Amino acid sequence: MNNNPFIVRKAAVLGAGVMGAQIAAHLVNANIETLLFELPAPSGDANANVIKAIGKLKKQEPAPLSTIAKAGSIEPANYEQHLEKLRDCDVVIEAIAERLDLKAQLYEKVAPFLHDRAIFASNTSGLSINKLAETVPESLRPRFCGIHFFNPPRYMHLVEVIPSAHSDGEALDVLEAFLVTALGKGVIRAKDTPNFIANRVGIFSILSNIHHAQQYGLRFDLVDKLAGTLIGRPKSATFRTADLVGLDILAHVMQTMHDELADDPWHEYLAVPDWLQKLVEQGALGQKSGQGIYYKQGKEIHVLDPATGDYRPSASEVDSEVEALLKQKDPVAKFAALRAHTHPQAQFLWAIHRDLFHYCAVHLAAIAANARDLDLAVRWGFGWQQGPFEIWQAAGWRTVTEWINADIDAGQSMAQTPLPDWVQAVGQGPAQGVHAQEGSYAPAADSLQPRSQLPVYRRQLFPDRLVGETAAYGETVFETDALRMWHTGDQLAIVSFKTKKHTIDDTVLQGMQQVIAEAERHFRALILWQTEPPFSLGANLQKATERPKREAPPSAFDEFVKKIKKTAQSTILQAARSLDMADALMAGKLAEVEAMIARFQQVSQSLRYSMVPTVAAVDGLALGGGCEFVMHCDRAVATLETYIGLVEAGVGLLPAGGGCKEFAMRAARHAIDGDPFPYLKHYFETVAMAKLAKSAEQAKALSYLTPADTIVMNRFELLHVAKAQALALAEVGYRPPLRSREIVVAGSTGVATIKGTLVNMREGGFISEHDYLIGGKIAHVMCGGDVVAGSRVDEDWLLELERAAFIELLATEKTQARIAHTLKTGKPLRN
């Protein structure tokens, strides 16, 4: 292996099942040469089993591959013909069935082919790593460990690394650095206990919810409404998550806990419920079988009644008083009200939190090094906005501790085991809880333990923080209600928006003009970076699509992907959703709208022609005007999970912050023979179809990002890399590009050609008359207007065409109807 811990030249995954194939997919997402092994097929092509698994990756949702083309980078292999290829692999990950005997047989077969520095890891979700290590040759044991990816591996931030008693510390550090930077993961070192950290806590939480649902007579669909987004958990909550994960898998993990944790004070509650076992036996395994706890009958969702085994229509509603209580912003007041309220729904919510806190406190010392690791594991693995100890601390550690003790004494808790002594002690400390700026409580040391000091974490300038920690975002240069300009003492200016969803309104535009001027006077470069995703939803959205703050579990992310797919239809109108612009539009003040568009264009142009380099550090959604800002910066540094697009066309408008102009210029630059039209067709389709890139790789393919732009796997390293890019540009004596004064355009010939295609689509019923008008306006702008093909125009010409076309579309009744419908319903209108 190369001495540099950040380099793994080649990797292999053993096992092409659901997890193994998706781990391989994420490895190639990170541009790592990857072998995917499986048993040879009994006939025909020996690699048929692997090839079939790779084919499935292309069809899965959410997509395991950043682009479908990445599938071709996974090299198929089988254990009979290709074991020699393992000699070139630096990391080998086993991901076969959860059976100790089968894993041991495989280890014996592959071990002779691993080179003397290769790291060998088992992607097990619960088997003992020490038992597995005993089946590995003695010489390999120091480089063997557990590595638990969460499903789906591309999207889930958490990876648990589990050392055995033989694991070498340096090898673990190398693996952690690789997982963090190359694969973009949040690594937690877990102890070798059943189901490790996240599943141990998460499965207990599910079992607790089941128990208390029965206790308080609540239906499963009601539990999902109560214990989902209302309490900072994914929308899929408990039972929908179970269906998505697979009821057979859930039952297996529960059974493992029951079998392995006989001394657990909660042992009686760890058994697989009878109704769940019956569903598994009947083959009702959840989403993958079409029926589980939920199933869809026509358009109606039905949910299981565990008492009868029958299904009933899902119709439960959260009590209005309880819902209002949950929407309180003060967690102290919220939990006090929950405990005091007599409604069964409120009592259920208090009970599931109380027992979760109790369970985590009793087991912390056994399963995790400190409270931080437990909270981050649950957040990153299950998509909760806060971990159990964070919720407890935010609600008032000492008071909640007294309530838990009182309920234990009264026999109301699921177990009567007292809270550990340290719980009371940390409540009396300065932090009044387990998390503080200097660290998180570690039972072994009975003190606060700081974050990991591994070199890889120096790249995370602002890591994912916990309750009790604060982030000091540098020194302020100036600040308004809309944005803040700041720096960290390295002559690199940073601007962060303060608007909701980091949207762009007139106050942001005015602030950006001041930011750019200040950067030119006193700094070496300017970086656009937001302290939390999204990057920007364009102009000020009134009811923007919500993106989870934390990385979400499969269920929550599935919902997010559905929202993303709708974005090109339902959140396209970025500009018209601004409060200022919407008011101006509805009042018919088109001149005010045009003035705002002109200011937007001025800021975009200022980003392009600033005397210091500009770098956009992009994470999450970058739509409409946010995308145009990115396109006008000298460089973009984007996380893999960047969703970017010019989406205005879906509700009757076109990009007018320089986006159409930018694509016209790019087509002209590509036109070596002087004809930009062959290149313009690709750009026209991207804008006219409101195409949304669902990864940074796709954004490059759609040309929202350029080949020179950088993709970062770990969002917490984004600012570090953006600074490096900005500094590199500054170091070479940066000068802005010369203004384009002779842009070759396709002219009226290009417009006519595109309109010919649009006519055919209209006549075939694929687009409406208004769609035809919108497409024609986009073609008019991107082809340079009514000029002769091959004419040369400047940027101002194209920007004027943008503004005029935007206003012309705004003035139409059908575009206004689309805007009004979108603002009212969040859904598209085709008219």
Side-chain angles (χ1 to χ4, degrees), residues 13 15-29 34 36 49-75 151-155:
V13 179
V18 173
M19 281 301 291
Q22 292 198 54
I23 292 169
H26 194 58
L27 286 164
V28 296
N29 287 342
T34 302
L36 180 59
N49 292 332
V50 184
I51 292 169
K52 182 178 180 181
I54 294 172
K56 288 181 179 179
L57 292 172
K58 301 176 184 179
K59 303 174 184 178
Q60 291 176 7
E61 287 289 346
L65 297 157
S66 57
T67 63
I68 290 178
K70 288 280 189 179
S73 298
I74 302 174
E75 183 179 350
N151 188 24
R154 170 183 164 185
Y155 303 102

Side-chain angles (χ1 to χ4, degrees), residues 26 156 176 193 202 207 210 216 287 350 547 677 693 700 752 766 823 829:
H26 194 58
M156 299 307 298
E176 183 164 348
T193 55
L207 289 164
I210 292 171
Y216 291 101
Q287 181 171 281
W350 161 246
R547 183 191 179 208
F677 188 76
K700 285 195 171 189
F766 297 104
L823 291 173
L829 171 67

Side-chain angles (χ1 to χ4, degrees), residues 546-757:
E546 193 75 27
R547 183 191 179 208
K549 291 184 179 179
R550 312 294 181 193
E551 296 297 332
S555 50
F557 192 83
D558 195 44
E559 295 297 323
F560 176 53
V561 168
K562 290 177 183 177
K563 290 180 181 179
I564 289 297
K565 287 181 175 177
K566 294 177 182 177
T567 300
Q569 300 174 327
S570 63
T571 58
I572 313 255
L573 180 59
Q574 303 312 312
R577 280 194 168 206
S578 77
L579 294 172
D580 296 337
M581 190 172 287
D583 289 345
L585 170 62
M586 297 310 170
K589 300 177 182 177
L590 298 181
E592 291 184 23
V593 177
E594 186 172 11
M596 183 177 176
I597 295 298
R599 283 191 292 274
F600 205 116
Q601 292 178 340
Q602 289 168 8
V603 172
S604 295
Q605 291 293 88
S606 295
L607 286 170
R608 166 57 48 80
Y609 296 111
S610 166
M611 293 306 295
V612 296
T614 56
V615 176
V618 193
D619 181 34
L621 293 166
L623 305 179
C627 176
E628 287 172 305
F629 272 9
V630 174
M631 294 173 70
H632 282 81
C633 287
D634 294 296
R635 289 286 187 278
V637 178
T639 62
L640 182 69
E641 301 312 322
T642 289
Y643 302 80
I644 183 170
L646 298 173
V647 293
E648 292 87 347
V651 286
L653 291 171
L654 53 73
C660 292
K661 175 269 301 180
E662 192 63 22
F663 274 150
M665 289 173 58
R666 292 181 186 184
R669 282 198 294 269
H670 289 308
I672 299 174
D673 60 357
D675 181 9
F677 188 76
Y679 305 96
L680 197 64
K681 289 191 296 183
H682 162 70
Y683 298 136
F684 170 78
E685 289 178 3
T686 297
V687 175
M689 296 175 68
K691 289 184 178 180
L692 181 73
K694 293 189 280 292
S695 73
E697 291 277 8
Q698 286 188 16
K700 285 195 171 189
L702 291 173
S703 301
Y704 293 131
L705 298 179
T706 71
D709 293 332
T710 301
I711 297 175
V712 175
M713 299 300 288
N714 195 317
R715 62 175 290 256
F716 296 107
E717 295 183 350
L718 181 63
L719 182 57
H720 168 83
V721 177
K723 283 189 168 192
Q725 292 284 316
L727 188 59
L729 289 169
E731 283 291 307
V732 297
Y734 174 82
R735 294 288 303 178
L738 294 173
R739 292 181 183 270
S740 300
R741 303 188 184 281
E742 292 193 345
I743 304 165
V744 180
V745 294
S748 55
T749 303
V751 175
T753 303
I754 292 173
K755 282 188 172 181
T757 301

Side-chain angles (χ1 to χ4, degrees), residues 124-127 148 160 162 190-198 200:
T124 177
S125 60
L127 293 181
H148 182 206
E160 292 174 316
I162 310 97
K191 297 184 178 183
D192 188 19
T193 55
N195 293 336
F196 313 129
I197 301 174
R200 177 77 172 269

Side-chain angles (χ1 to χ4, degrees), residues 106 186 318 333 338 342 357 361 394 400 420-421 450 468 477 487 495 515 526 637 680 690 707 751 784 790 806:
L106 180 60
V318 176
L338 271 179
T342 58
F357 299 160
V400 172
D421 292 340
V477 178
H487 68 91
V495 60
V515 164
L526 174 63
V637 178
L680 197 64
V751 175
F806 188 93

